[in-house]
Amino acid sequence: MSDENAVLMYKGRPLMRKDNLVYYGSMADSHIVMLQVLETKKQGDLDIATRVSVQLQLTDPAVKGRSRIVKKTEKDGFYTALDVGCVWLERALAGK
């Protein structure tokens, strides 16, 4: 597999990024986590996320719009947001 097509994994689940949105989990599961970077700060050449929205969402295509959102919060920093999302996703998938 080439590096260009490699899927980034975190704790055994895929991480997919599109601009300031990061999706954690598989669409084949009942839930996924959506992380949206709301604010960044410049540190050298890098943009560091300072405020991130976290949403636990249902993947059922029959559920529309805001009804998909199960839980949501905002966190300071990407790692903190991903950590919360990871816990939420594990608990939601364990409840299947």
Side-chain angles (χ1 to χ4, degrees):
M1 184 188 275
S2 72
D3 290 338
E4 203 172 286
N5 295 328
V7 175
L8 183 61
M9 302 291 280
Y10 179 72
K11 293 187 177 182
R13 301 198 190 286
L15 272 171
M16 303 295 267
R17 178 179 176 222
K18 173 75 170 124
D19 298 324
N20 66 337
L21 293 176
V22 177
Y23 292 94
Y24 176 60
S26 172
M27 289 300 285
D29 292 333
S30 62
H31 294 79
I32 60 164
V33 170
M34 183 185 81
L35 302 152
Q36 182 178 14
V37 177
L38 302 173
E39 289 180 1
T40 61
K41 72 175 181 180
K42 208 67 154 155
Q43 187 169 352
D45 292 341
L46 297 175
D47 287 330
I48 306 295
T50 57
R51 197 169 62 116
V52 181
S53 169
V54 184
Q55 293 181 359
L56 177 67
Q57 297 181 351
L58 294 170
T59 57
D60 185 358
V63 180
K64 298 293 180 196
R66 293 182 187 227
S67 301
R68 286 185 183 202
I69 300 170
V70 178
K71 290 183 179 183
K72 65 180 180 179
T73 188
E74 281 188 17
K75 294 293 177 189
D76 295 330
F78 188 80
Y79 179 76
T80 306
L82 183 58
D83 198 33
V84 167
C86 185
V87 170
W88 283 357
L89 187 60
E90 290 295 326
R91 288 180 182 172
L93 296 178
K96 281 201 266 189

